[in-house]
Amino acid sequence: MKKVSIRFYNDREVRTVWDDDNNIWMISIVDVIASITDSPNPRKYWSVLKSRLKKSQPELTTRCSQLKLTAADGGQNRRP
């Protein structure tokens, strides 16, 4: 069963989804970055940060490039 929840951090929405199989909340890192950096393009910010960090930490993220979460406008996020 999937539970979708909208949390707030610094008065900005952060999308989360409950994973029943692993008993954990999955949190949109792009939403977190948007709330703490005020970046006009948080997805690009994460992409650049991730590439810089990979040089020192080879397994920064899983092989999952992007989770499908409902966007604020009701649509699905798509890769640019």
Side-chain angles (χ1 to χ4, degrees):
M1 181 175 164
K2 251 174 132 172
K3 298 176 190 173
V4 178
S5 176
I6 301 293
R7 309 292 172 113
F8 289 90
Y9 184 81
N10 287 344
D11 294 327
R12 301 208 47 186
E13 289 185 358
V14 176
R15 294 166 293 163
T16 61
V17 176
W18 176 253
D19 179 357
D20 269 341
D21 295 334
N22 296 306
N23 293 321
I24 59 170
W25 282 102
M26 294 184 287
I27 302 169
S28 169
I29 188 67
V30 173
D31 291 352
V32 172
I33 286 173
S35 70
I36 62 176
T37 65
D38 290 326
S39 171
N41 191 344
R43 184 170 288 130
K44 181 67 175 174
Y45 188 102
W46 173 239
S47 176
V48 170
L49 178 62
K50 189 168 48 170
S51 68
R52 289 178 183 166
L53 290 173
K54 279 184 181 179
K55 293 176 183 175
S56 63
Q57 298 176 6
E59 291 194 37
L60 176 65
T61 62
T62 63
R63 294 179 188 239
C64 178
S65 59
Q66 183 176 341
L67 296 173
K68 301 283 186 206
L69 293 173
T70 303
D73 64 3
Q76 290 289 323
N77 282 346
R78 291 177 183 81
R79 295 183 102 187

